[in-house]
Amino acid sequence: MQESDELLNSAGDYKLEELTITTTSGELLDISNFLLELHLYEDVFSPCMTGKIVLADAINLISSVPLLGNETITLKVRTPSLEDTYQNVIEKSFQIYSIDDRTMASDSSQYYTLSFISKEGYYDSVVPIAKAFRGTTDEIVNNIYEQYIQAPRREDNEFTTALIINDSPHSSRVTYTSNHWTPFKNMNFISRRCRGASLAGADYLFFESNKYFYFTSLESLINDQLASGIFEEYVIELDGLNLPRRDARFEYYGNQLKPEMTKIETIKMVKTLNVLEGQTNGYFSNSILGYDLTTKKMSENTFNFIEENSSFIKTDTGTPIPANVAESAYGNTEFVMFNTCVHNDYGKTDTDNLPEGHPAQFYSDRHMFRKSYLNSLDQFKFEIVIPGRSDIEVGNVISVLHPNPSVVDSSDIDTIIDPVLSGAYLITAIHHKFDSVRHVISAEIVKNGLTASLGEKENDSTEF
């Protein structure tokens, strides 16, 4: 919903509604007039947000307050015309942890950078957990988050950031002892042993967006949004092109803004496909050789992601791996010692008469599926620059209309749009940059499924 009394004059406009520092003595300082640049980072492969702010200090604030590098910074940013609701704003308190690059200008003003991190990340390294856990993975994750991670979202209230656990209740169970591990290390340990309620993937990650904390598989994020609606559609318009917005192929849940807000300003194709890397990092196929210390048995498990590709939810149904690519499960092999600890119920053992959900049923496939699926998100990777908006977050699925460089008929949308590079993408990282002019986003987006497979595999394909 949009407010009627505000206008979004140009792409990237923003309202800095709050930018304050709370000192260690409790003094509140408005530093919005000192702002040169504000950077905020969110990434699905990072457990919490980080950022930095560059200040121009003409009144020697850094020494007179003084700023010691242990203060709290609170920010609130909103895109004009968007209603002031939780989903539409970026609002949170962060912990400052360093002061860097302090320089003196000829007019006696000073410039320096304050680096900050989410409160949850700041306290992570000083909250060791020495405790045994037993139960379903989603139950344990929720318990750890509530007891050891969650912190007030703002310095001046007790409201905390919600944790979203997707594809729950989990079918996976685990028993282990946290040997003075940090909360984030516990989350990482559990993420490698998860099996959701319905999906095959094992690519669980724990991360923070500017709205929530997530403990989710990326497959689940893609599946949920493709089924119920994706965030927005972005377009690349070459000279003379005027592409439509919001293709009828998808439903959209993001605020619908003016067309200039959904134009991709620059795009860089970081990677499309690296076949040699796919052979050696376990993307195409991989294996586990194991020895169970309880049963004294050797085991061998192999997984072929090319053959099982249709079993996983991706950004589209087509396989982004060339047909008949040379691959071998032994190109990436790990040796695992199972049941080596006190709690010996999470390794590879005899599966007869095990209760449903027993960890021994899932360890090997979780490990192999996870390796292949996460590697699939390291292919067809792009970096885009788009106008900033405060309702976007990492983990959103977007549609991209990528033009075909060799347009046959400019009046026919089917020849204008590249059939391979267009389609749904997952946003895996966002860098927000705010300066005196505008809000700009540099985003990493990935596509692990295409509209059509890259050729059909023949029966006589090369396998080693």
Side-chain angles (χ1 to χ4, degrees):
M1 180 176 178
Q2 297 181 351
E3 296 181 343
S4 59
D5 59 343
E6 283 188 327
L7 293 176
L8 182 61
N9 294 318
S10 59
D13 282 354
Y14 72 97
K15 297 190 69 173
L16 183 61
E17 301 192 333
E18 184 176 357
L19 185 61
T20 60
I21 285 180
T22 305
T23 67
T24 53
S25 63
E27 183 180 1
L28 189 66
L29 305 172
D30 185 344
I31 60 169
S32 55
N33 291 330
F34 298 86
L35 174 66
L36 285 182
E37 290 181 0
L38 171 63
H39 301 263
L40 188 63
Y41 305 93
E42 44 185 309
D43 193 318
V44 298
F45 297 104
S46 176
C48 66
M49 287 192 295
T50 60
K52 62 182 180 180
I53 181 170
V54 182
L55 301 179
D57 183 356
I59 62 173
N60 198 26
L61 186 71
I62 188 171
S63 298
S64 60
V65 171
L67 298 180
L68 305 175
N70 195 36
E71 293 78 17
T72 297
I73 185 168
T74 301
L75 66 90
K76 181 180 179 182
V77 179
R78 180 171 61 87
T79 298
S81 80
L82 296 188
E83 187 179 5
D84 189 355
T85 63
Y86 183 84
Q87 294 290 347
N88 290 337
V89 302
I90 300 175
E91 180 179 12
K92 190 175 183 182
S93 294
F94 297 87
Q95 184 71 43
I96 297 173
Y97 65 87
S98 75
I99 302 175
D100 303 300
D101 301 325
R102 185 176 176 181
T103 58
M104 181 76 72
S106 58
D107 58 358
S108 297
S109 60
Q110 299 179 71
Y111 300 89
Y112 47 88
T113 300
L114 305 179
S115 297
F116 55 84
I117 188 172
S118 293
K119 291 276 189 176
E120 295 86 350
Y122 177 74
Y123 289 111
D124 176 68
S125 61
V126 294
V127 185
I129 303 175
K131 183 179 178 180
F133 294 96
R134 180 188 295 269
T136 61
T137 47
D138 58 319
E139 292 172 341
I140 297 174
V141 163
N142 191 64
N143 177 267
I144 292 174
Y145 180 77
E146 291 183 349
Q147 290 194 38
Y148 303 102
I149 296 178
Q150 68 179 5
R153 188 163 179 85
R154 286 183 56 103
E155 184 75 6
D156 53 7
N157 64 47
E158 295 301 315
F159 175 71
T160 60
T161 306
L163 172 66
I164 307 298
I165 304 177
N166 283 7
D167 200 21
S168 60
H170 290 177
S171 59
S172 53
R173 301 180 62 86
V174 68
T175 301
Y176 77 99
T177 297
S178 172
N179 187 15
H180 296 278
W181 295 350
T182 67
F184 287 175
K185 185 174 181 178
N186 276 270
M187 292 298 199
N188 185 49
F189 176 86
I190 299 170
S191 69
R192 300 195 301 269
R193 291 159 174 81
C194 284
R195 187 185 184 100
S198 59
L199 299 178
D203 58 312
Y204 274 82
L205 298 171
F206 175 70
F207 63 90
E208 182 187 16
S209 76
N210 67 72
K211 305 290 188 286
Y212 301 103
F213 274 95
Y214 287 88
F215 187 88
T216 179
S217 75
L218 301 186
E219 182 187 22
S220 178
L221 282 181
I222 295 171
N223 178 66
D224 292 349
Q225 293 177 75
L226 290 181
S228 61
I230 66 175
F231 179 73
E232 185 56 278
E233 183 161 74
Y234 286 87
V235 302
I236 306 170
E237 293 180 322
L238 303 178
D239 292 342
L241 285 180
N242 186 17
L243 298 181
R245 263 59 169 183
R246 297 203 169 189
D247 190 328
R249 178 186 173 191
F250 299 106
E251 296 290 332
Y252 302 90
Y253 66 84
N255 292 285
Q256 188 165 8
L257 302 175
K258 58 197 311 183
E260 296 92 319
M261 288 290 290
T262 57
K263 181 177 180 179
I264 296 177
E265 299 177 359
T266 64
I267 184 168
K268 177 181 179 182
M269 302 180 188
V270 179
K271 180 191 292 185
T272 50
L273 181 69
N274 187 320
V275 173
L276 288 180
E277 188 177 86
Q279 292 173 335
T280 58
N281 65 9
Y283 173 29
F284 300 156
S285 59
N286 61 81
S287 63
I288 288 181
L289 303 178
Y291 179 72
D292 192 317
L293 292 182
T294 300
T295 62
K296 311 302 181 186
K297 294 181 178 180
M298 296 290 294
S299 62
E300 177 181 325
N301 294 273
T302 62
F303 174 69
N304 190 304
F305 191 59
I306 301 174
E307 296 176 354
E308 300 293 335
N309 207 260
S310 61
S311 301
F312 297 88
I313 303 297
K314 307 179 296 298
T315 54
D316 216 320
T317 56
T319 304
I321 302 174
N324 301 316
V325 65
E327 51 83 22
S328 169
Y330 301 107
N332 184 284
T333 302
E334 290 188 47
F335 182 80
V336 177
M337 297 287 285
F338 295 116
N339 293 323
T340 60
C341 64
V342 175
H343 302 296
N344 61 346
D345 61 352
Y346 66 86
K348 178 71 175 179
T349 188
D350 288 333
T351 57
D352 294 340
N353 303 317
L354 288 177
E356 183 65 28
H358 194 285
Q361 296 176 321
F362 305 129
Y363 181 85
S364 293
D365 67 357
R366 298 300 83 196
H367 192 77
M368 294 187 295
F369 292 5
R370 177 183 178 85
K371 183 183 296 184
S372 286
Y373 198 88
L374 288 180
N375 276 312
S376 78
L377 295 167
D378 193 38
Q379 315 294 322
F380 285 88
K381 182 187 296 184
F382 299 79
E383 291 179 359
I384 61 173
V385 175
I386 56 178
R389 53 192 295 174
S390 58
D391 59 340
I392 197 171
E393 62 176 322
V394 72
N396 285 157
V397 172
I398 62 172
S399 170
V400 172
L401 294 185
H402 194 292
N404 189 337
S406 55
V407 177
V408 177
D409 182 359
S410 60
S411 64
D412 184 358
I413 190 67
D414 291 332
T415 64
I416 294 175
I417 301 303
D418 188 301
V420 175
L421 299 181
S422 295
Y425 285 77
L426 176 70
I427 301 177
T428 54
I430 294 177
H431 169 201
H432 302 267
K433 179 184 177 183
F434 306 88
D435 57 26
S436 60
V437 178
R438 63 196 298 245
H439 173 197
V440 177
I441 285 176
S442 298
E444 178 185 89
I445 60 174
V446 296
K447 186 176 186 63
N448 67 343
L450 307 178
T451 53
S453 298
L454 295 182
E456 295 297 329
K457 186 173 182 178
E458 301 174 3
N459 294 328
D460 61 347
S461 60
T462 305
E463 188 170 327
F464 297 90

